[in-house]
Amino acid sequence: MTARALAALTLAVALATGACVRYPTVTDAGGTMLRPDKGRLVRQGDGAAVYFDLKSSGKYGDVITAVHTPVARQAQLVDGRGAPLPRVAVPGASVTSFTESGPHVVLSELTRTLTTGDTIIVTLVLEKMGGLGVIATVE
């Protein structure tokens, strides 16, 4: 094999293997992947409570820092006793349930009348993901 042929072969192998380099994305590495499920809104006097599940299929979790919806002037994260929560951690690869006895969302100063069967969207604000809509049906 001549020096020129060997150089050409070396160049071809270098180009072929260099083109095969793949860098994983955050999603490939198991980033934050949350999906809301089973959203429901329960009317309580002149306000309402929103319950749902957050399914995390990612490797890393996230933190809910705020919540808002157009159907209420005030939306707040609270614990099972009704005490305000400034933030709620959502661990990776888990299901976090927002229930009456655990963290959930309380709506007050409703901007419209909610009737059974209505569908509303409550937006969760997360540190990493940004806004995530939870679709809830009025019971």
Side-chain angles (χ1 to χ4, degrees), residues 24-121:
T25 64
V26 172
T27 303
D28 294 338
T32 303
M33 293 177 260
L34 297 175
R35 184 173 50 95
D37 193 27
K38 300 179 186 174
R40 63 189 187 101
L41 181 142
V42 178
R43 293 172 289 178
Q44 297 177 339
D46 59 351
V50 182
Y51 309 111
F52 54 94
D53 290 339
L54 269 184
K55 295 182 177 183
S56 174
S57 59
K59 183 176 181 181
Y60 304 104
D62 209 335
V63 178
I64 303 170
T65 58
V67 61
H68 55 85
T69 181
V71 300
R73 288 187 184 88
Q74 290 188 351
Q76 187 172 35
L77 290 164
V78 298
D79 65 14
R81 293 169 288 144
L85 295 170
R87 43 197 299 127
V88 175
V90 180
S94 67
V95 175
T96 303
S97 295
F98 288 73
T99 63
E100 293 178 32
S101 60
H104 58 277
V105 176
V106 171
L107 307 178
S108 57
E109 298 180 37
L110 299 177
T111 58
R112 67 179 176 92
T113 303
L114 301 174
T115 57
T116 303
D118 283 352
T119 301
I120 66 149
I121 295 178

